[in-house]
Amino acid sequence: MNTKEICIIKRDGKREDFSAVKISNAIGKAFEATGLNDHRTLIEEITQRVILQINQPTIGVEDIQDIVETELMKVQPEVAKKYIIYRQWRNTERERKTQIKHIMDGIVAIDKNDVNLSNANMSSHTPAGQMMTFASEITKDYTYKYLLPKKYAEAHQLGDIHIHDLDYYPTKTTTCIQYDLDDLFERGFHTKNGSIRTPQSIQSYATLATIIFQTNQNEQHGGQAIPAFDFFMAKGVLKSYQKAVTSILSFYLEVKGETTVKEESLSEAIHQYLISIEPNSEMKKGLVKALQASAITINAEELEHILHKAYAQTRKETHQAMEGFIHNLNTMHSRGGNQVVFSSINYGTDTSAEGRMVIEELLKATVEGLGQRGEVPVFPIQIFKIKDGVSYSEADYQLAIQDFDAALEGKIQFEAPNFDLFLKACRTTAKALFPNFMFLDTPFNQHEKWDKNDPKRYRYELATMGCRTRVFENLNGEKTSLGRGNLSFTTMNLPRLAIEARIKAENMAEHTHPTAIEQLAKDIFLQSVHEMSELIAEQLYSRYQYQRTALARQFPFMMSNNVWKGGGSLNPNDEVGDTLKQGTLGIGFIGGHNAMVALYGQGHGHNRKAWETLYEAIEEMNKVADEYKQKYHLNYSVLATPAEGLSGRFTRMDKRKYGLIPGVTDRDYYVNSFHVDVKEPISIIEKIKCEAPFHALTRGGHITYVELDGEAQKNIKAIAKIVKVMHDEGIGYGSINHPVDTCHNCGYKGVIYDKCPICNSENIMRMRRITGYLTGDLNSWNSAKRAEEKDRVKHG
């Protein structure tokens, strides 16, 4: 065959003309490496024999090299060996230039890059952190090549969508879970090394809660939450109180000389009559009579003194338990890379004396913070549940505002039994950024079965993962947050859809009025949102089908202990199958603001057309979610994606593809979900009103936050006013950000600019919220989130 007719296909798929010179040069280098020189004639003969072997118009580089090896082996085996070694070395050199090699190099060198900083809760420079990052990147590559259907792999790699937690894809695990701790505590549970009995004190309740967090963390890739922390811990408080009364009474009787009284009989009577840490007169009378019937002489005054001592001891123990709970969750590294548990707790609606004590002492321990200098605890993410008539009322709010200092000091009697705890929660938020606030009376958060007289009403109260994931509605079981979680979620690149829509509209109508182009672009955009939502819905179903094939023994704690409801009925070698049907599948999105700028030149914060278009786009996502609920009978929902690593990935890709578009691709990040641009000047009330309607459309999870300037702890009333606005405007879940800075050298706390005002140190810890949780060092954030944090304006 004429060599001019031969086309070479290179390794990257590109084509080039055949060159005999390149073949003879490669053979010549192999001769030289063997120490054989002046063999030009033989080299040319071998080259010609290689050419004669080529009998097709196109041939790959690797195929030519195979022929060269064969021909060399016929005449010069030693040279052939050198050629093979050279070829292998060249392949290694090429591999060194690939993306995965560069990533590995960055991990080894602990570079400060976005791979190493993809998770602000992980120390990627530690040995275990490096191993986690190595494994993550290699597993993603494996998933792309061998597990993902081609169209979904391409959509992800091209940046149309982002399939979250691809490194965990092969494990078939789910994202998150919300614990039914009451069930776990009453039944007891087991870990790999043994069984745990029902706890008998508040210290044990709190400690076992952290153990459950830590154990299950390794069976999922997301966060863990306790939906009703106050209700679940309340039993522990009562048990500690009853033990304290028994112990003190026993000691008192011994001092009096009544040595024949057995502590077991005392305990039995106390458990029967003291069913509250604030017993009423009937309980006390009943206990006195029961004791007297057992020939134990004690009068009401003596008992009152004993109960007072027991109450004080119980409060102290409860405080220590809450303090230990917080300290443990900030120090127990349950995953590689010094990761502590992504933990969240919801509370605020238990009106029992025991539940209230839990909340009070938890808030105190949060304010006290960690260590000698009272560092703000990053975990658990705390969520205070606002419920009308329970933890909030309009009348109580108006009463408190009239004399806020007196209200904070407990000098005012309120009608809602936990309104005083709401005020204390506001004070804690002003100091420690937590708790956030969940609004149970927002229409889409209500539950028709909720009854204030139901002792287990928490089953019908919405709870959330602190980052924002919401699990509530259920096609396949009880509508509740308990024992359920998210299966997986995937995010669409909303700005790209808007950019493409605008380009298409302008090409289709070159000389049309701008308004007509806008309308056409909007129509194309909404259609593309619908189609992309369908693609994501199918991809989520594909992943769900894969997750179903996991064996129960892959999740020994979560399934065998019935942490994920239904898992307890499975044998270890059973597939999890339909057990997962109660989980949720999230169709996520990012960059609502940027998308609107691409369409209208302005974001939705102050442009009504942009706001309405974004609203309609999320409605389209919900139409698809509803369609797929019916199609597969699964819990599809729309999620306002909590983007950490993703916030910069889409932007980098779109910047390369479309260039710099002002307000769209000209920063290092896309603005999260439906949030108003972090740089946009907007008042607190305007921001809340703008974002609140989107909460009803994003039932897979959402959050609205506002940024305060100055030291919030000096203006707790402002926190309460903001929460009221959120409550009145229909926010589902909200938080309040403000600067919390601490000098590492002297411990000074306050708003610190460049240097500490006390000791002039520049060694400052700057506590900030990233996607729903806190971090104590901005250096652990990736470049996109650091840029976003820098751009955040304060909301006046």
Side-chain angles (χ1 to χ4, degrees):
M1 178 174 286
N2 190 332
T3 56
K4 292 183 179 180
E5 298 173 358
I6 301 172
C7 179
I8 303 298
I9 301 175
K10 300 179 71 176
R11 290 174 182 84
D12 60 4
K14 294 179 180 178
R15 294 168 178 258
E16 70 176 24
D17 294 335
F18 179 84
S19 172
V21 173
K22 288 186 177 181
I23 296 175
S24 61
N25 286 344
I27 296 171
K29 288 179 181 178
F31 270 78
E32 291 173 8
T34 315
L36 299 174
N37 299 313
D38 301 321
H39 285 75
R40 178 52 51 191
T41 301
L42 181 55
I43 291 170
E44 291 302 323
E45 287 177 4
I46 296 170
T47 302
Q48 288 304 312
R49 284 200 291 269
V50 171
I51 292 170
L52 291 173
Q53 294 287 332
I54 302 172
N55 54 15
Q56 53 195 22
T58 59
I59 187 169
V61 170
E62 295 287 346
D63 294 327
I64 292 177
Q65 291 181 341
D66 288 342
I67 297 171
V68 171
E69 286 183 12
T70 301
E71 293 301 320
L72 278 172
M73 287 296 292
K74 291 177 182 178
V75 294
Q76 289 286 351
E78 289 300 313
V79 175
K81 289 180 183 178
K82 291 292 185 181
Y83 182 84
I84 292 168
I85 292 171
Y86 172 77
R87 182 181 176 186
Q88 290 175 337
W89 178 80
R90 287 288 295 162
N91 285 338
T92 301
E93 282 297 291
R94 292 187 190 94
E95 183 66 22
R96 285 166 62 90
K97 297 177 182 178
T98 63
Q99 182 182 18
I100 196 72
K101 176 62 169 57
H102 286 305
I103 290 172
M104 297 298 109
D105 286 344
I107 298 169
V108 170
I110 59 171
D111 289 344
K112 190 173 180 180
N113 57 41
D114 289 343
V115 170
N116 289 338
L117 299 177
S118 62
N119 179 352
N121 187 36
M122 187 173 87
S123 300
S124 58
H125 57 271
T126 63
Q130 286 179 298
M131 286 298 294
M132 283 281 288
T133 313
F134 276 130
S136 174
E137 294 305 317
I138 293 297
T139 309
K140 286 177 189 176
D141 190 58
Y142 173 79
T143 303
Y144 291 139
K145 291 176 179 176
Y146 305 111
L147 297 180
L148 276 180
K150 187 172 183 292
K151 65 178 178 179
Y152 305 136
E154 287 181 348
H156 178 99
Q157 290 177 313
L158 290 172
D160 294 330
I161 64 174
H162 182 86
I163 304 171
H164 292 266
D165 304 294
L166 270 173
D167 46 352
Y168 276 88
Y169 196 107
T171 71
K172 305 177 184 177
T173 190
T174 56
T175 304
C176 57
I177 188 72
Q178 303 208 54
Y179 301 120
D180 184 350
L181 277 192
D182 188 58
D183 182 44
L184 278 171
F185 285 159
E186 289 304 307
R187 287 188 294 106
F189 59 91
H190 59 270
T191 63
K192 180 181 178 181
N193 296 318
S195 298
I196 307 296
R197 293 187 295 272
T198 301
Q200 296 301 317
S201 68
I202 184 58
Q203 291 98 328
S204 295
Y205 270 74
T207 300
L208 290 182
T210 62
I211 290 171
I212 291 169
F213 268 133
Q214 185 180 33
T215 306
N216 198 73
Q217 170 89 340
N218 287 299
E219 295 184 14
Q220 294 183 287
H221 55 71
Q224 324 289 309
I226 298 175
F229 185 75
D230 43 356
F231 283 94
F232 295 148
M233 293 293 112
K235 287 185 179 180
V237 173
L238 180 58
K239 289 178 181 180
S240 284
Y241 175 71
Q242 291 168 337
K243 285 174 67 175
V245 173
T246 302
S247 177
I248 296 170
L249 179 57
S250 178
F251 176 75
Y252 178 71
L253 294 173
E254 186 178 335
V255 170
K256 286 179 66 177
E258 298 188 30
T259 57
T260 59
V261 178
K262 291 185 178 181
E263 197 166 292
E264 291 80 4
S265 59
L266 287 179
S267 178
E268 186 177 335
I270 288 166
H271 277 75
Q272 181 179 352
Y273 289 99
L274 294 186
I275 56 175
S276 169
I277 62 172
E278 294 179 358
N280 58 31
S281 58
E282 292 301 314
M283 294 178 195
K284 296 173 188 176
K285 288 177 183 177
L287 179 58
V288 169
K289 288 181 179 179
L291 293 174
Q292 290 173 347
S294 299
I296 299 171
T297 56
I298 188 169
N299 59 41
E301 186 177 345
E302 290 171 325
L303 179 62
E304 195 68 44
H305 183 69
I306 289 168
L307 296 183
H308 178 75
K309 294 284 288 184
Y311 183 88
Q313 181 177 319
T314 303
R315 183 173 287 281
K316 182 178 179 180
E317 289 180 12
T318 301
H319 184 81
Q320 290 173 338
M322 295 303 101
E323 189 176 55
F325 179 73
I326 291 172
H327 277 72
N328 283 337
L329 287 178
N330 285 279
T331 56
M332 292 196 313
H333 300 153
S334 58
R335 283 187 190 152
N338 292 357
Q339 285 190 82
V340 294
V341 182
F342 278 90
S343 52
S344 305
I345 56 174
N346 298 256
Y347 57 81
T349 55
D350 187 350
T351 57
S352 71
E354 298 79 26
R356 284 175 49 80
M357 182 178 284
V358 168
I359 299 170
E360 286 175 333
E361 299 310 315
L362 175 71
L363 293 173
K364 288 178 186 176
T366 303
V367 169
E368 289 167 7
L370 306 172
Q372 295 294 323
R373 291 176 173 172
E375 299 160 19
V376 174
V378 172
F379 289 108
I381 302 169
Q382 299 181 35
I383 303 102
F384 188 91
K385 295 190 282 190
I386 302 290
K387 177 67 181 174
D388 289 350
V390 177
S391 57
Y392 183 84
S393 82
E394 179 64 25
D396 286 340
Y397 174 81
Q398 295 301 336
L399 191 62
I401 289 298
Q402 292 174 18
D403 191 345
F404 201 76
D405 290 338
L408 275 176
E409 292 169 9
K411 296 179 180 178
I412 298 176
Q413 186 69 39
F414 299 110
E415 62 178 18
N418 282 4
F419 186 82
D420 61 325
L421 297 181
F422 161 67
L423 294 178
K424 291 176 181 178
C426 290
R427 181 168 60 195
T428 306
T429 297
K431 171 84 172 181
L433 286 162
F434 286 144
N436 299 337
F437 297 91
M438 167 69 66
F439 300 90
L440 299 184
D441 287 299
T442 299
F444 52 84
N445 284 348
Q446 293 177 4
H447 198 303
E448 56 280 0
K449 289 186 178 181
W450 189 88
D451 182 351
K452 66 179 181 180
N453 298 314
D454 180 359
K456 290 193 173 184
R457 59 189 177 274
Y458 60 81
R459 293 176 298 175
Y460 309 117
E461 293 178 357
L462 173 67
T464 186
M465 303 299 302
C467 63
R468 77 190 63 189
T469 307
R470 181 182 182 275
V471 179
F472 199 39
E473 295 81 11
N474 191 3
L475 292 174
N476 299 302
E478 183 83 84
K479 177 182 176 181
T480 184
S481 295
L482 272 66
R484 301 174 59 216
N486 177 253
L487 297 175
S488 66
F489 60 100
T490 297
T491 296
M492 73 176 70
N493 185 344
L494 211 56
R496 176 176 292 188
L497 298 181
I499 294 167
E500 294 280 1
R502 184 74 194 194
I503 292 171
K504 290 177 183 176
E506 289 173 350
N507 289 338
M508 291 168 65
E510 293 182 7
H511 304 293
T512 309
H513 192 275
T515 304
I517 293 176
E518 271 187 3
Q519 183 60 50
L520 181 57
K522 174 185 173 181
D523 294 342
I524 296 170
F525 171 68
L526 294 178
Q527 180 61 33
S528 63
V529 168
H530 191 100
E531 292 170 357
M532 192 61 68
S533 299
E534 290 179 328
L535 175 76
I536 290 175
E538 290 289 359
Q539 180 271 314
L540 291 170
Y541 183 69
S542 173
R543 186 170 186 173
Y544 163 75
Q545 290 289 79
Y546 181 65
Q547 289 173 307
R548 284 174 55 88
T549 65
L551 302 180
R553 61 186 168 91
Q554 292 180 248
F555 317 110
F557 183 81
M558 184 167 66
M559 291 300 171
S560 65
N561 286 299
N562 207 40
V563 173
W564 187 287
K565 294 298 185 185
S569 64
L570 299 174
N571 293 317
N573 289 322
D574 289 344
E575 291 187 352
V576 294
D578 283 349
T579 305
L580 298 186
K581 290 181 73 172
Q582 295 198 60
T584 61
L585 297 166
I587 300 173
F589 65 98
I590 189 174
H593 162 78
N594 308 86
M596 294 308 99
V597 174
L599 290 176
Y600 298 105
Q602 284 185 303
H604 59 294
H606 291 104
N607 184 307
R608 190 63 191 175
K609 282 194 296 185
W611 189 94
E612 290 172 351
T613 298
L614 182 58
Y615 191 87
E616 289 179 50
I618 303 174
E619 283 185 315
E620 290 298 320
M621 298 177 204
N622 275 276
K623 288 177 185 176
V624 173
D626 290 340
E627 290 169 12
Y628 277 82
K629 282 180 186 177
Q630 300 306 313
K631 184 175 182 178
Y632 294 127
H633 209 71
L634 294 172
N635 294 304
Y636 282 91
S637 56
V638 177
L639 168 69
T641 297
E644 187 175 340
L646 175 58
S647 64
R649 176 177 179 258
F650 280 164
T651 319
R652 287 191 299 272
M653 300 175 84
D654 289 349
K655 195 177 295 184
R656 287 195 300 268
K657 187 172 183 179
Y658 305 106
L660 285 176
I661 304 173
V664 185
T665 63
D666 58 348
R667 299 184 213 165
D668 292 332
Y669 61 92
Y670 281 150
V671 177
N672 257 356
S673 59
F674 55 71
H675 290 174
V676 173
D677 182 15
V678 297
K679 294 181 71 172
E680 187 163 343
I682 189 170
S683 72
I684 290 171
I685 294 176
E686 283 180 314
K687 188 176 194 295
I688 292 170
K689 286 185 174 181
C690 179
E691 294 182 4
F694 295 108
H695 285 219
L697 299 180
T698 49
R699 301 195 186 189
H702 47 244
I703 190 170
T704 280
Y705 67 86
V706 295
E707 295 278 346
L708 298 187
D709 203 355
E711 295 187 50
Q713 58 184 319
K714 295 178 180 178
N715 192 2
I716 301 167
K717 185 189 289 189
I719 301 290
K721 287 181 177 179
I722 293 168
V723 176
K724 171 182 164 53
V725 174
M726 289 182 173
H727 169 275
D728 294 347
E729 293 298 328
I731 289 289
Y733 176 45
S735 68
I736 300 163
N737 293 346
H738 53 87
V740 177
D741 301 329
T742 304
C743 175
H744 277 298
N745 285 15
C746 72
Y748 171 80
K749 287 185 177 64
V751 179
I752 302 175
Y753 297 99
D754 295 329
K755 298 179 180 179
C756 173
I758 304 300
C759 68
N760 280 330
S761 170
E762 296 181 1
N763 187 12
I764 309 300
M765 181 179 72
R766 303 188 184 280
M767 184 69 69
R768 299 293 186 271
R769 196 184 312 272
I770 186 163
T771 62
Y773 68 97
L774 305 179
T775 57
D777 185 357
L778 294 178
N779 287 326
S780 67
W781 291 24
N782 62 61
S783 60
K785 294 308 289 184
R786 286 200 304 273
E788 189 242 85
E789 193 279 336
K790 185 179 180 181
D791 285 346
R792 293 177 185 174
V793 300
K794 307 302 178 184
H795 303 128

